[in-house]
């Protein structure tokens, strides 16, 4: 069954964390869509991914080869048939989108009260729909799972 992982950023910004998570998802052999709230924000992430240490082939939605992208940055639905959907900056993921995925991830800035509120709302909606979820925090300096639903 698909599940959703929530990543509560407190020590590193999205621009540092996202490439690591994308690398792990690619190692799993997954095709990925990164959903953001705006084209401008995704363009900034696109630049950061090209500037990083590791090469992560990716593209911005709206190009001629969206369906072929291993990693597609998009403000809406993904045309690359993703195995993994990553939400950044409060972009919404609906419960019915998760079942065909191997994993969904919601990455949010824990130092931003609005982002924290949005993530809490997403947790409530998704777990309320019966989707298994894990909440990861880097508060201690390393990633630790702090909660899961349903509780095991």
């Amino acid at each position: 069954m698909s599940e959703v992982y929530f990543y509560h950023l407190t020590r590193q910004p999205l621009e540092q964390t996202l490439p690591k998570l994308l690398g792990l998802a690619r190692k799993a052999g997954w095709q990925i869509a990164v959903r953001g709230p705006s084209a401008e924000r995704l363009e900034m992430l696109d630049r950061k991914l090209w500037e990083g240490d590791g090469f992560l082939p990716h593209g911005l939605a709206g190009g001629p080869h969206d369906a072929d992208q291993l990693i597609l940055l998009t403000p809406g639905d993904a045309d690359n048939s993703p195995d993994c959907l990553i939400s950044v900056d409060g972009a919404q993921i609906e419960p019915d989108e998760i079942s065909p995925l191997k994993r969904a991830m919601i990455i949010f800035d824990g130092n931003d009260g609005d982002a924290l509120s949005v993530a809490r709302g997403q947790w409530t909606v998704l777990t309320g729909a019966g989707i298994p979820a894990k909440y990861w925090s880097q508060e201690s300096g390393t990633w630790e799972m702090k909660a899961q639903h349903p509780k095991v």
Side-chain angles (χ1 to χ4, degrees):
M1 175 177 232
S2 300
E3 56 188 349
V4 60
Y5 283 18
F6 286 75
Y7 290 97
H8 183 163
L9 304 178
T10 54
R11 296 191 175 244
Q12 293 181 324
L14 175 65
E15 296 79 10
Q16 288 180 323
T17 304
L18 182 61
K20 293 174 188 173
L21 291 173
L22 289 171
L24 291 171
R26 284 297 309 134
K27 281 183 184 174
W30 298 343
Q31 223 159 282
I32 307 146
V34 177
R35 182 179 292 163
S38 70
E40 295 80 16
R41 177 67 164 145
L42 293 170
E43 287 168 7
M44 188 279 298
L45 289 173
D46 172 57
R47 287 190 301 276
K48 292 292 184 183
L49 289 173
W50 287 121
E51 293 170 1
D53 293 334
F55 176 70
L56 290 169
H58 70 279
L60 283 168
H65 305 289
D66 285 0
D68 300 323
Q69 295 294 338
L70 298 175
I71 301 170
L72 182 66
L73 284 66
T74 178
D77 292 335
D79 292 334
N80 67 335
S81 302
D83 300 299
C84 177
L85 175 58
I86 299 175
S87 162
V88 299
D89 299 335
Q92 291 300 308
I93 296 178
E94 299 301 325
D96 61 347
E97 292 181 279
I98 294 178
S99 63
L101 302 172
K102 293 185 175 149
R103 179 157 311 140
M105 299 180 199
I106 295 174
I107 307 171
F108 62 98
D109 182 350
N111 299 310
D112 177 333
D114 291 338
L116 195 55
S117 178
V118 168
R120 285 180 178 147
Q122 289 174 307
W123 175 276
T124 299
V125 167
L126 296 174
T127 59
I131 297 166
K134 293 182 179 172
Y135 164 68
W136 296 86
S137 173
Q138 63 179 174
E139 202 169 33
S140 70
T142 60
W143 286 106
E144 294 180 46
M145 187 175 60
K146 299 283 191 170
Q148 68 181 28
H149 177 84
K151 293 182 182 182
V152 178

